[in-house]
Amino acid sequence: MFSQEKRVGVAVLGLGNVGSEVVRIIHDNADDLAARIGAPLALRGIGVRRVAADRGVPVELLTDNIEELVSREDVDIVVELMGPVEPARKAILSALENGKSVVTANKALLSISTGELAQAAESAHVDLYFEAAVAGAIPVIRPLTQSLAGDTVLRVAGIVNGTTNYILSEMDSAGIDYQTALADASALGYAEADPTADVEGYDAAAKAAILASIAFHTRVTADEVYREGITKITPADFAFARALGCTIKLLSICERVTDGDGRQWVSARVYPALVPLTHPLAAVNGAFNAVVVEAEAAGRLMFYGQGAGGAPTASAVAGDLVMAARNRVLGSRGPRESRYAQLPVLPIGSVSTRYYVSMHVADKPGVLSTVAAEFAKREVSIAEVRQEGVADEGGHPIGARIVVITHRATDAALSDTVAALADLDVVQRVASVLRLEGTAE
């Protein structure tokens, strides 16, 4: 049906869970992929660190010479699934400089080097696709770059890390603490041996940088994304969240902000937040991901599904591979980097939202008015206050817990308030400070 001269040569770098699944898709779905592309795919080689006969593929396809593989004349597209930043960055740049289109799922690299890679692709007149870098199989990148290309995106918010979502979901449903939930996630394979990138928000911040860059036509790096993790969340926080009709989720939020002078900014931030149970993100549990996009004309759109894992991520990679191969056959190119807006990134201190502040205080008259006065001094308006007694293991009163819910305030004003509260003699400690997102106020 197709001539051998039209075959599109593919090199895959990396043979882990995702790489193995991509290789399987190329082999098992060869006829269907050829029909969709207009020419067959030919797997020219697989770059690995260790060449051995036990890798599950013909050993003659394996090579540890990445530089030679990505520069071969019979390779048209390089699929990079090695990670981490290096040696992936060197391999991708070499591939682009040699005129190969590139498909990658490397969020860590993209979040710090999108500009460099995009410029290299532009100079070589080839494609750079990375749908799988954010939220696995969930199509988010392509809708932002193509479906909403004629609209103005106002906000992109979501749950983009399955490990943290599983941990928080377990803490909520089972009433367990963070360490127990993390151990459960590790036992099920959801958490890495070193979970720092997930639980401290680095993974979500990398994805937020990519989403913000695309949505707002502005280069945003991971270092410009404000980040907090989930390690300080307690069962008591979930108990109060439930009392308020909320749950707690680690959110990645990217939004277009217009200040009082009409200037526009980009805000990109990652942190655990209280989310009303009526909000669509509140129902996203386990290791699933979801992204909500709000656009001027389209309104609210939600994308939901498997955010990680070999097969879901490989699905997104294969989709990009088909697009890149089709462009090769037709002699065309996909969307290029759009960074015309170049909006400044809004400092976290200027970001305005609502807050939940929980503190342990002395149980005596006048404490509540003293606490409220510190909020008033910094013009942080209180929406609701809850107070309950705290007892020791023997049931003897040892103080009280006060939870304050604020109206919208800047992060700077709230931070100053919390610092002042911590210095009060009547405040034993400030236990938790969380944002509230998705509320009407």
Side-chain angles (χ1 to χ4, degrees):
M1 181 178 177
F2 300 100
S3 68
Q4 292 300 308
E5 289 72 25
K6 285 187 175 181
R7 293 170 72 85
V8 179
V10 179
V12 175
L13 309 184
L15 198 57
N17 289 339
V18 180
S20 297
E21 185 66 15
V22 170
V23 170
R24 184 197 66 76
I25 290 172
I26 292 173
H27 179 269
D28 292 355
N29 301 345
D31 291 342
D32 281 346
L33 294 177
R36 297 167 193 174
I37 292 167
L41 294 177
L43 184 58
R44 304 300 190 189
I46 303 170
V48 293
R49 292 187 177 91
R50 178 178 64 89
V51 175
D54 63 351
R55 303 302 299 271
V57 296
V59 70
E60 60 268 20
L61 283 175
L62 301 177
T63 178
D64 58 6
N65 191 336
I66 304 298
E67 180 67 27
E68 188 274 334
L69 177 60
V70 301
S71 62
R72 279 173 50 172
E73 290 188 3
D74 60 350
V75 169
D76 301 294
I77 302 170
V78 172
V79 179
E80 184 278 309
L81 301 169
M82 297 186 299
V85 172
E86 293 293 359
R89 174 183 167 276
K90 180 180 178 182
I92 290 176
L93 285 174
S94 179
L96 294 171
E97 289 164 1
N98 279 283
K100 321 299 183 185
S101 292
V102 169
V103 173
T104 180
N106 197 326
K107 55 187 173 290
L109 174 59
L110 289 165
S111 70
I112 61 174
S113 298
T114 298
E116 179 185 29
L117 302 182
Q119 185 57 55
E122 181 69 22
S123 297
H125 304 288
V126 294
D127 287 326
L128 174 65
Y129 282 109
F130 47 90
E131 181 67 67
V134 179
I138 304 172
V140 177
I141 303 300
R142 197 164 290 122
L144 287 172
T145 56
Q146 298 181 42
S147 304
L148 296 173
D151 208 338
T152 299
V153 176
L154 305 175
R155 198 169 196 261
V156 182
I159 298 164
V160 296
N161 183 273
T163 300
T164 53
N165 200 49
Y166 177 84
I167 291 171
L168 293 175
S169 297
E170 286 296 292
M171 291 179 69
D172 191 11
S173 62
I176 56 179
D177 62 18
Y178 165 75
Q179 290 295 343
T180 302
L182 173 61
D184 289 348
S186 298
L188 292 171
Y190 291 139
E192 300 287 344
D194 179 1
T196 302
D198 293 321
V199 300
E200 294 294 355
Y202 290 101
D203 175 82
K207 295 169 182 176
I210 295 169
L211 290 172
S213 298
I214 296 169
F216 306 120
H217 310 280
T218 296
R219 284 181 184 170
V220 178
T221 66
D223 290 341
E224 295 174 299
V225 178
Y226 177 79
R227 174 194 53 78
E228 291 180 16
I230 66 168
T231 58
K232 296 180 181 178
I233 304 298
T234 67
D237 292 325
F238 274 103
F240 270 98
R242 285 191 292 273
L244 295 166
C246 297
T247 187
I248 300 173
K249 298 293 184 182
L250 182 71
L251 299 182
S252 295
I253 301 173
C254 313
E255 62 184 344
R256 186 188 301 266
V257 179
T258 303
D259 66 19
D261 297 323
R263 294 176 300 182
Q264 290 196 334
W265 303 72
V266 170
S267 172
R269 54 200 195 267
V270 170
Y271 45 60
L274 275 72
V275 180
L277 295 176
T278 54
H279 193 281
L281 290 177
V284 179
N285 292 313
F288 280 77
N289 284 190
V291 177
V292 176
V293 178
E294 297 177 26
E296 203 169 70
R300 177 185 283 182
L301 308 170
M302 183 171 176
F303 304 88
Y304 167 84
Q306 294 278 3
T313 304
S315 171
V317 171
D320 280 349
L321 175 58
V322 168
M323 297 295 293
R326 188 181 293 160
N327 291 341
R328 282 276 171 163
V329 171
L330 298 175
S332 60
R333 291 181 60 194
R336 305 168 194 179
E337 181 193 25
S338 175
R339 59 183 179 90
Y340 72 89
Q342 286 298 88
L343 301 176
V345 176
L346 188 68
I348 189 62
S350 298
V351 173
S352 178
T353 188
R354 301 183 67 197
Y355 293 89
Y356 152 101
V357 182
S358 172
M359 67 201 86
H360 292 274
V361 301
D363 190 5
K364 61 183 182 180
V367 172
L368 187 56
S369 61
T370 301
V371 166
E374 296 301 325
F375 284 86
K377 286 177 185 177
R378 291 154 188 87
E379 299 184 345
V380 178
S381 176
I382 295 176
E384 184 178 350
V385 177
R386 298 191 179 209
Q387 182 173 342
E388 64 177 21
V390 177
D392 61 19
E393 293 181 358
H396 303 101
I398 57 174
R401 178 197 287 264
I402 292 177
V403 171
V404 174
I405 307 299
T406 76
H407 291 293
R408 297 188 72 86
T410 64
D411 187 271
L414 196 283
S415 296
D416 288 346
T417 303
V418 170
L421 291 171
D423 288 337
L424 292 177
D425 291 338
V426 296
V427 175
Q428 297 164 353
R429 66 186 178 93
V430 177
S432 297
V433 179
L434 295 172
R435 280 91 173 169
L436 276 78
E437 294 287 349
T439 64
E441 296 182 55

